[in-house]
Amino acid sequence: MNNRITSLFGIKYPIIQAGMIWCSGWRLAAAVSNAGGLGIIGAGSMYPEVLKEHIRKCRVATDRPFAVNVPLLYPNIEEIMQILVEEQVEIVFTSAGNPATWTSFLKEKGITVVHVIANKKFAVKAQNAGVDAIVAEGFEAGGHNGREETTTLCLIPMIADAVNIPVIAAGGIAGGKAMLAAFALGAEAVQVGSAFAVAEESSAHLSFKEKIIHAVEGDTKLRMKKLVPVRLLQNDFAETIAQAEAAGANADELGKLLGRARAKKGMFEGDMQEGELEIGQVSAMLREIKPAAAILEQIWQEFINEKKRISGLEI
Ligand code: NDP
Ligand code: NDP
């Protein structure tokens, strides 16, 4: 396919693997890029030296384009930005922060910049900051989420109307049917997280992957809206948070319950009860752990088949 996104990144398929803490290291990013999509290393869980190592290993593992996702809340952000420049990373996805802070720095170095947003206000702000494209991520998405709770179905057409740079749809997309719907809404690519979190090459703990493929409808909920809204799988930790929220806990109290490194504990170390398990609603449709290339191929084939089916509809 040829469109503004495939030519912006130099990729074959408009399918992007989301930057996901503790899941998307170099192995997953390289596997997705090798399969013709855009793989992303999630820097949020990486100390600067670890990120450097992952960028270098990714470059050895693929000669195709790949990107790095940097949550702008990251503590050593200056150091991370310096590494991206030194290691000649060509594409950076920024998220969870103000795009005005780093976009011009990265653009001056010739880096393609994409910013992740969940509402119209931030989409316009990102465009004004000079980003090349936007990821619009709806309510269905796992991990960090928007406060407005706008679903992907409502968000994508709203954002596509509000900006003239290309829009990448995210949140609830794990198959070709959802991808086709996103294109109908005005997106020019999709970003897929949860489906790749369970890929063989994902660095997530096997227990987390197994819990995801056994998840059913209603197993993920948006929690901690007073702190940082995140979509989580049900477990003892999520239940503790739910009870505190029902009792009216404020941001400080939620922060104390969350503590530090909960996501690592659950997603990387495999503590399925006390860890923070970030995954999207679409987990209820994921049923196997398989290679990233097979996941991408299945999305693309379903997209083509569904497009043919829709074109054949009698009106
Ligand atoms: P890598 O080359 O992938 O990792 C090198 C370094 O990066 C290590 O310091 C590792 O941490 C860290 N790291 C790896 N992925 C991430 C990430 N997404 N976010 C932050 N840091 C990361 O080495 P390995 O091939 O040995 O894999 C790294 C880890 O991933 C191992 O602990 C391995 O057991 C686990 N893994 C689990 C899989 C599973 O299905 N359960 C599949 C693949 C890997 P550290 O030093 O803590 O390992
Ligand atoms: P916490 O503050 O609870 O813990 C920090 C975690 O990040 C620890 O596990 C730590 O590893 C690791 N880490 C990696 N680099 C650094 C560093 N330079 N300084 C301190 N810790 C570091 O944060 P979270 O685990 O909740 O989130 C980590 C990051 O991921 C944040 O930047 C957050 O904004 C982002 N994030 C992004 C999400 C998304 O959807 N894209 C979802 C959730 C978080 P160790 O335990 O080995 O010290």
Side-chain angles (χ1 to χ4, degrees):
M1 179 185 269
N2 251 322
N3 69 9
R4 289 194 292 176
I5 288 291
T6 54
S7 51
L8 179 66
F9 300 143
I11 55 175
K12 192 167 170 197
Y13 306 115
I15 300 173
I16 294 147
Q17 161 252 310
M20 297 172 285
I21 58 164
W22 303 117
C23 298
S24 61
W26 67 272
R27 265 177 232 280
L28 180 59
V32 172
S33 290
N34 280 333
L38 184 73
I40 303 188
I41 297 174
S45 53
M46 298 182 180
Y47 282 90
E49 281 310 307
V50 174
L51 174 61
K52 204 186 272 186
E53 184 186 337
H54 279 252
I55 294 169
R56 290 182 182 178
K57 285 183 173 172
C58 198
R59 192 151 278 138
V60 173
T62 184
D63 54 9
R64 306 263 181 99
F66 66 89
V68 174
N69 168 228
V70 184
L72 295 170
L73 301 171
Y74 189 88
N76 306 78
I77 190 88
E78 289 82 8
E79 212 177 323
I80 290 287
M81 290 296 171
Q82 218 45 55
I83 288 173
L84 298 176
V85 173
E86 279 164 23
E87 297 296 320
Q88 299 179 345
V89 170
E90 285 160 5
I91 308 166
V92 172
F93 280 50
T94 54
S95 55
N98 185 349
T101 328
W102 287 100
T103 301
S104 40
F105 169 85
L106 293 168
K107 294 289 298 170
E108 277 160 20
K109 308 284 186 292
I111 297 172
T112 298
V113 183
V114 180
H115 190 69
V116 184
I117 55 90
N119 63 33
K120 190 159 87 178
K121 182 177 155 199
F122 289 163
V124 172
K125 207 166 165 180
Q127 175 168 269
N128 291 342
V131 304
D132 297 285
I134 283 171
V135 175
E137 192 181 73
F139 178 67
E140 298 90 326
H144 280 190
N145 210 301
R147 288 182 193 280
E148 297 78 6
E149 305 195 355
T150 310
T151 62
T152 304
L153 196 66
C154 295
L155 184 68
I156 305 307
M158 201 194 307
I159 304 302
D161 276 353
V163 299
N164 45 43
I165 52 178
V167 175
I168 301 163
I173 303 169
K177 289 178 186 165
M179 179 173 170
L180 187 63
F183 272 66
L185 297 173
E188 293 180 51
V190 290
Q191 180 174 278
V192 175
S194 302
F196 285 120
V198 294
E200 279 174 12
E201 298 89 343
S202 153
S203 54
H205 196 281
L206 189 57
S207 304
F208 180 41
K209 294 182 189 179
E210 283 178 343
K211 191 166 167 77
I212 295 167
I213 62 171
H214 290 101
V216 296
E217 273 179 272
D219 274 359
T220 72
K221 294 270 182 333
L222 192 66
R223 300 283 183 215
M224 295 187 283
K225 276 191 75 175
K226 286 186 192 158
L227 189 60
V228 186
V230 253
R231 179 172 296 285
L232 299 177
L233 266 179
Q234 277 304 103
N235 65 0
D236 288 352
F237 165 68
E239 189 50 38
T240 304
I241 292 291
Q243 284 177 11
E245 289 184 317
N250 61 25
D252 271 0
E253 288 160 338
L254 292 174
K256 281 199 186 95
L257 286 175
L258 175 64
R260 192 180 168 280
R262 278 267 179 199
K264 181 182 187 185
K265 189 183 199 132
M267 295 156 71
F268 201 59
E269 295 173 348
D271 184 337
M272 289 301 101
Q273 287 315 325
E274 290 304 327
E276 187 184 14
L277 307 177
E278 303 178 2
I279 203 76
Q281 275 185 344
V282 80
S283 51
M285 293 168 76
L286 302 172
R287 285 301 163 259
E288 49 175 331
I289 298 170
K290 53 188 176 186
I295 296 168
L296 190 139
E297 177 67 15
Q298 192 176 356
I299 297 172
W300 183 245
Q301 274 311 320
E302 194 179 85
F303 176 76
I304 292 171
N305 294 343
E306 288 302 310
K307 186 170 173 296
K308 279 192 195 133
R309 187 180 66 80
I310 297 287
S311 312
L313 284 183
E314 278 185 39
I315 297 171

